[in-house]
Amino acid sequence: MKVYILDERGKNRDQLQYWLAEDIKTGTVETFEDYVRFIEKVGQSPPDFCFIRVGKSKIPGLITSEMVRQVSADIRVVFISNDRDYAVDAYEVGAYGYLVYPLQRDSVARLFRQ
Amino acid sequence: MINVVLVDDERPALKGLEFLLKEYPQISITGMYTNPLTAIEEIGRLKPQVVFLDINMPQLRGIDAASRILDLSARTDIVFVTAFDQYAVEAFDLYALDYLLKPITPERFKKTIERVMHKNKAVRKSVERRLKIKCMGCFQVAWDNQEPIKWRTEKTKELFAFLLQNNGRNISKDELLDKLWAEDAPEKAIRQLYNGIYYIRKALEEYGIDRSLTRIDSNYNLMLGPVDFDVRRIYELSKKDMHDSDMLEEMETLYTGEYLAGEDYQWAYFEREGLRKLSQECLIKLARQYIKKGYYDKAESKLTKAYSQNPYEEMITELLLQLYIATGNKSKAVMHFKSYSEILKEDLGIEPNDKLNGIYKSIK
């Protein structure tokens, strides 16, 4: 399984990357800070899951998620944010999940259980 | 058929949903309830594919109702319908299929239905209609007899036209940046490119043009499916036997104007010249055939059209003179030769060639 994370560097992202690596067992978890590099990689090598940060001015999360969906409707997009304000928008763009920092171990794991 | 149940404590809200669902004959409403407790019991029995559920009901919170519904009928999808936005994160926790804010617009509702259909793999029948992409004369992408796509910016339009010109070929990012954003700084240009691709795909999607018709892959290769694309048809025809007058006539009707007329794209120059040349050749061949068959009027009209596009081409004048002689129209031949000589002199500073002079002398 291939998973990409688009978020700024920091403890939160490290934690998510660590947990994801545990959950997916086999595969890779790659991280990106720049949405252009990220979307380029998605185009070249589409992942199964993307975690995209919303609510940060440097990352246009909602538009990026639509760009991902344009590459393939099969890629599951999960938003991550400091607040709950974008959850309705997340539904609007057809996101698969929405996680709020600080993350709960189980809320990450259950994304892969469905 | 997809069975759905509607739950809202306000009857007008139920009526509103029912009205929106009327647009979708694939969906059948098997129950409408104002009391969530009754609804839950019934849903356990009906096991619908989808429940549209209000969140704020006095008897039971929608979020709690949803988890009870899922206990009774695990395969049922929940679509929350609410005036409040603060439960959307919980909705994700419950894997709700969608979360609709009241008042619901038909456009937003359509998205919900598309998700329902996608999930239930219902066969969507596409209506037989053809997509027309026109680059000769003005540049347009449109369904038959419908308004053409409005591009978000001039640059988006140019990018699409460029991809179209190179359809079926991988284009490097550098080439794109060089051809379309040569004056911008690299970082800015890259962002413009990504946004451009995004807006093109979005426009195509909003216009109902799916990937089987146009698709841009990761190498910026625009792949075209079964669409009517005038330039592609012109090239197809030009590769075939060009003695067939039906094909020549079809080609002539496709050339409704210059390639991307009115657009000042530098990268389009050679394509425009190439197509112009093809059109000239087509008109000349067509005229020759008409002359052979004795359709002199038709031949004259094709030749004068070709002449107006490119007066310097000697072959056109030669054929016109021969045609006028054959039909006993000496005065027309003389007039044409004079106008031709003047244009040559004024624009290029040269005289008509010996052969044409010879023909002209034979008239006098």
Side-chain angles (χ1 to χ4, degrees), chain B residues 176-189:
Chain B
L176 272 169
L177 297 178
D178 183 51
K179 291 270 167 62
L180 281 92
W181 287 278
E183 283 141 36
D184 291 310
E187 274 299 299
K188 188 182 166 201

Side-chain angles (χ1 to χ4, degrees), chain B residues 98-164:
Chain B
D98 211 343
Y99 190 95
L100 290 170
L101 276 185
K102 290 178 189 173
I104 309 166
T105 64
E107 294 78 40
R108 178 65 182 84
F109 195 69
K110 193 172 162 229
K111 266 191 194 173
T112 306
I113 299 300
E114 277 167 5
R115 277 172 209 164
V116 169
M117 296 299 190
H118 184 74
K119 193 93 189 266
N120 289 278
K121 301 238 161 51
V123 190
R124 271 173 293 174
K125 277 190 193 151
S126 63
V127 193
E128 272 292 320
R129 50 178 187 171
R130 295 287 286 185
L131 182 71
K132 292 201 183 301
I133 302 179
K134 194 170 167 296
C135 288
M136 306 311 296
C138 61
F139 174 42
Q140 268 187 3
V141 181
W143 291 112
D144 241 346
N145 304 320
Q146 284 193 16
E147 281 287 298
I149 287 189
K150 285 192 185 70
W151 301 102
R152 187 181 155 97
T153 62
E154 280 301 312
K155 210 67 191 178
T156 316
K157 180 175 159 191
E158 184 182 352
L159 176 59
F160 188 72
F162 184 79
L163 295 177
L164 203 55

Side-chain angles (χ1 to χ4, degrees), chain A residues 34-37 39-40 43 66-67 69-71 84 87-88 90-92 94-98 110 114, chain B residues 86 88 90-93 95-96 98-99 108 111 115 173 187 190-191 194 198 201-202 205 211 218:
Chain A
D34 179 63
Y35 83 97
V36 169
R37 307 277 170 275
I39 201 72
E40 236 168 348
E66 289 201 65
M67 288 176 169
R69 201 175 40 79
Q70 289 174 343
V71 172
R84 306 158 63 91
V88 172
Y91 263 113
E92 183 101 29
Y96 179 75
Y98 192 95
R110 61 199 292 262
Q114 269 264 311
Chain B
Q86 69 262 43
E90 280 82 358
F92 271 112
D93 286 341
Y95 302 106
D98 211 343
Y99 190 95
R108 178 65 182 84
K111 266 191 194 173
R115 277 172 209 164
K173 193 167 70 187
E187 274 299 299
I190 288 178
R191 264 149 232 270
Y194 278 99
Y198 165 68
R201 286 171 167 164
K202 199 174 158 83
E205 194 181 341
R211 285 162 190 238
S218 56

Side-chain angles (χ1 to χ4, degrees), chain A residues 24-41:
Chain A
I24 65 170
K25 293 179 188 84
T26 55
T28 51
V29 181
E30 275 183 73
T31 55
F32 302 82
E33 293 90 50
D34 179 63
Y35 83 97
V36 169
R37 307 277 170 275
F38 167 80
I39 201 72
E40 236 168 348
K41 188 67 198 269

